Amino acid sequence: MRSKTFLYFMALFGLVLLFACGPKAVAPEAQMDTPEHHVTNGNKFLKADKLDEAFTAFTRATQLDPKYAPAHVGLGLVYGKQGAFDKAFDAMKQAARFSETDAQHAETNVGYIRLYTMGGPAVEENWLNKAGNHFERAHKLAPRDPAPYFYMGMAYRNAYRFSDAAGMFKAVLDLDKDFVEAADREYAVMQRIERAMPGTSVGKKIALLEVITRADVAALFIEELKVDELFEKKMPKTFDTTFKAPGATFKTGEYVKAPAVTDIDNHVLRQDIEAVVRLQIKGLQPGPDHTFEPDKYITRAEFAMMIEDILIKITGDSTLATKFIGTESPFPDLRSDLAFFNAAMVCVTRNIMETVDTATGEFRPQGMVSGADALLSIRQMKVQLNK
């Protein structure tokens, strides 16, 4: 009996010691020095990608209340954005452990959705299903909260399930509470991508880019438009039938031709770039110094000139190059004597490109091209060239 009583008191003492050794809350130093206030600030910093400031704010919240679940959610998201996913999921487990209300449990589940979306298959092979499970839990706990819908939409977006993503963003718009502006923007992009119907993995990845580079355009022309195959079918082959004197071949020590492109050796889209360079598409050739500048963003004017050149070469209609020269410009921001005016007119009149502002009719030649817009243009080109 004595031994049982002794063991009981020892166990009780151990529990007391355990809790005594846990983190203790510090006293606030000002009226606004509260966990809630610091978490609010931390979320603002997190949204602005100011991770150091966000970390400081969330850490202060945990100092004031070590069991404040939203602070641990915030820390988990900071770690996730830094790529420290072990720490991120540990923090999220703490958030789940300390969550007290349905709202806090829902917020923690949304935190998990965001972490799985950040990490993707590198963190968890079955990441999308895991995110979906947390969405169901969050939705059950807070059915009128738009956050689970929005972040599950982002998860579907990153998984290239554009239709499912659009459905989630539409739900946010129907709730008409938080995230409306961001959801409206994402919903419009998803609709454009669905219309463009990218058929390759490269196309789906580029579809999500807000601005695209010369390398991206090269990949889209080769992978989605299959411009190399179209050139081969439509353009007549040429053969060198000029007389070659016997022995007039290359000899060691003679002039060696420089590589066509010198700055793409380690580029992930190298094969597409090399293929497009061989086609000599106007605006996508290497410069005089043999550099392609694969990471340089393209403008709408440059994109229009590329499209015009492709159309001319595939259709064989050389009159397209001068079709609108001498006509009055319908664009308020484009003079008719500019080098790319004719290309802009060719693209707009054929519905391959759209004006940026339908109200004013601006073409905005120096504006950037998004992946979704480029895919829509390519989709329209494919329709017209297959007629």
Side-chain angles (χ1 to χ4, degrees):
M1 186 71 178
R2 277 185 170 183
S3 62
K4 287 185 178 179
T5 304
F6 176 76
L7 289 173
Y8 171 77
F9 280 111
M10 286 298 293
L12 184 63
F13 178 74
L15 287 173
V16 171
L17 192 64
L18 177 67
F19 282 107
C21 293
K24 294 182 180 179
V26 300
E29 298 178 1
Q31 187 173 355
M32 296 301 292
D33 190 17
T34 65
E36 295 82 2
H37 178 69
H38 289 296
V39 165
T40 298
N41 285 340
N43 284 324
K44 290 178 182 177
F45 289 132
L46 189 67
K47 187 177 180 179
D49 280 328
K50 295 181 178 179
L51 300 186
D52 290 341
E53 292 91 334
F55 182 81
T56 299
F58 292 131
T59 300
R60 179 58 180 170
T62 62
Q63 291 170 346
L64 292 164
D65 183 354
K67 296 183 180 181
Y68 190 55
H72 292 284
V73 171
L75 285 173
L77 295 174
V78 171
Y79 285 132
K81 287 204 169 195
Q82 292 173 334
F85 285 101
D86 287 341
K87 290 183 178 180
F89 281 101
D90 284 343
M92 214 59 70
K93 287 175 186 175
Q94 289 286 80
R97 176 186 170 197
F98 295 135
S99 291
E100 297 177 346
T101 65
D102 284 353
Q104 288 184 352
H105 280 292
E107 184 179 354
T108 300
N109 279 289
V110 170
Y112 272 109
I113 295 171
R114 296 175 70 178
L115 283 187
Y116 282 120
T117 303
M118 288 179 201
V123 168
E124 170 65 53
E125 185 178 353
N126 203 25
W127 71 273
L128 188 61
N129 285 342
K130 294 268 189 179
N133 292 337
H134 285 287
F135 167 77
E136 294 297 336
R137 294 171 197 165
H139 174 62
K140 187 175 181 180
L141 290 161
R144 299 289 299 169
D145 184 0
Y149 287 104
F150 179 78
Y151 287 110
M152 195 63 212
M154 296 301 288
Y156 281 132
R157 172 190 185 275
N158 282 20
Y160 312 123
R161 289 174 52 172
F162 303 122
S163 180
D164 291 327
M168 289 290 169
F169 295 133
K170 179 66 165 56
V172 175
L173 298 178
D174 291 341
L175 287 170
D176 196 22
K177 294 169 75 174
D178 296 329
F179 299 98
V180 168
E181 184 178 348
D184 187 47
R185 183 172 58 251
E186 293 292 343
Y187 182 57
V189 173
M190 294 305 105
Q191 287 185 309
R192 293 179 75 79
I193 294 174
E194 285 191 278
R195 282 170 52 203
M197 294 188 294
T200 65
S201 59
V202 170
K204 289 174 183 177
K205 290 177 182 178
I206 295 175
L208 296 174
L209 300 179
E210 293 185 10
V211 290
I212 58 175
T213 64
R214 287 166 56 81
D216 296 328
V217 174
L220 289 180
F221 284 158
I222 297 298
E223 302 286 340
E224 290 287 332
L225 183 58
K226 301 192 184 305
V227 68
D228 50 344
E229 296 178 14
L230 289 172
F231 273 31
E232 187 175 351
K233 289 179 183 178
K234 303 287 186 177
M235 293 180 67
K237 294 182 179 179
T238 57
F239 302 94
D240 185 4
T241 58
T242 57
F243 174 75
K244 298 281 191 308
T249 57
F250 176 80
K251 296 179 182 178
T252 304
E254 292 183 354
Y255 170 74
V256 178
K257 188 178 180 181
V261 191
T262 59
D263 59 345
I264 62 169
D265 285 349
N266 299 315
H267 202 284
V268 67
L269 297 175
R270 175 181 175 177
Q271 290 183 325
D272 293 318
I273 295 169
E274 289 176 336
V276 98
V277 165
R278 286 193 291 270
L279 301 177
Q280 298 183 4
I281 295 172
K282 187 176 180 181
L284 273 181
Q285 309 103 315
D289 59 353
H290 297 276
T291 60
F292 185 78
E293 297 183 285
D295 299 322
K296 181 182 178 183
Y297 294 130
I298 65 160
T299 65
R300 285 170 51 82
E302 291 168 335
F303 189 56
M305 294 177 77
M306 295 171 195
I307 291 174
E308 179 192 56
D309 191 54
I310 291 172
L311 290 173
I312 291 170
K313 287 176 176 175
I314 292 176
T315 64
D317 185 1
S318 58
T319 64
L320 283 177
T322 56
K323 185 173 182 178
F324 295 97
I325 291 178
T327 63
E328 186 177 350
S329 173
F331 312 113
D333 59 340
L334 217 62
R335 298 196 319 270
S336 59
D337 61 341
L338 292 170
F340 47 80
F341 169 74
N342 189 82
M345 287 293 292
V346 167
C347 291
V348 172
T349 56
R350 287 174 170 248
N351 295 318
I352 295 173
M353 291 181 71
E354 301 174 349
T355 54
V356 172
D357 191 325
T358 54
T360 64
E362 292 175 54
F363 184 79
R364 205 166 298 171
Q366 299 309 312
M368 299 292 104
V369 180
S370 72
D373 286 342
L375 278 160
L376 275 172
S377 294
I378 287 172
R379 174 73 180 164
Q380 187 60 29
M381 287 177 73
K382 288 165 72 174
V383 170
Q384 294 186 22
L385 291 171
N386 287 330
K387 285 181 179 179

